[in-house]
């Protein structure tokens, strides 16, 4: 059974930084690609970033490229998302997800396990 638990969300001013973490249980974390998605009020869930099973390949949404960095520590079963230069439009619930495959993907349907999410609020 895989469980994903996010932490690190909160309230920050525009231009500030936050670091999200996702703790994973189970034995499949180190052989699975991982991703971060977000959903703002009244909007559909959108892809944020994805990382391959070893961490060598990453994908980012154009809206966060250059500001967010996804990383993983397979020894600790942990996924992270460093968010810098935050903007009010980054406000959303951020959720980590574990893919069925090893390669990073933007495709929502490729992710089999999902966390509960953590709220990120960026004030102007």
């Amino acid at each position: 059974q895989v469980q994903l638990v996010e932490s690190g969300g909160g309230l920050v001013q525009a231009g500030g930084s936050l670091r999200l973490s996702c703790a994973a249980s189970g034995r499949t974390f180190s052989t699975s690609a991982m991703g971060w998605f977000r959903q703002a009020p009244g909007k559909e869930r959108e892809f944020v970033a994805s990382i391959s099973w070893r961490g060598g390949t990453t994908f980012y949404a154009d809206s966060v490229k250059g500001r967010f960095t996804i990383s993983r520590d397979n020894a600790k079963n942990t996924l992270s998302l460093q968010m810098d230069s935050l903007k009010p439009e980054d406000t959303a619930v951020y959720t980590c997800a574990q893919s069925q495959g090893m390669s990073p993907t933007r495709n929502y349907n490729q992710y089999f396990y999902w966390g509960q999410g953590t709220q990120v609020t960026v004030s102007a």
Side-chain angles (χ1 to χ4, degrees):
Q1 184 76 13
V2 173
Q3 287 189 324
L4 304 174
V5 180
E6 301 92 341
S7 62
L11 174 64
V12 65
Q13 288 188 332
S17 298
L18 280 175
R19 186 176 181 87
L20 305 183
S21 294
C22 173
S25 65
R27 298 181 178 182
T28 57
F29 176 85
S30 61
T31 56
S32 301
M34 298 292 295
W36 287 98
F37 289 77
R38 68 185 183 186
Q39 187 167 18
K43 295 187 177 181
E44 293 186 354
R45 184 178 300 184
E46 66 170 338
F47 169 78
V48 175
S50 181
I51 188 168
S52 61
W53 67 294
R54 283 186 173 178
T57 304
T58 56
F59 289 163
Y60 294 94
D62 287 344
S63 58
V64 307
K65 199 173 296 183
R67 300 188 298 120
F68 290 11
T69 303
I70 188 172
S71 61
R72 66 188 298 161
D73 185 338
N74 286 346
K76 297 182 179 179
N77 271 25
T78 301
L79 176 74
S80 298
L81 185 69
Q82 177 66 40
M83 304 186 296
D84 298 318
S85 302
L86 283 161
K87 304 175 181 179
E89 51 263 44
D90 294 319
T91 295
V93 175
Y94 285 71
T95 305
C96 67
Q98 182 171 318
S99 173
Q100 301 178 65
M102 294 183 172
S103 298
T105 176
R106 299 175 175 87
N107 188 344
Y108 170 89
N109 293 318
Q110 293 297 313
Y111 291 87
F112 196 69
Y113 298 104
W114 295 81
Q116 293 299 309
T118 186
Q119 177 70 46
V120 171
T121 303
V122 184
S123 62

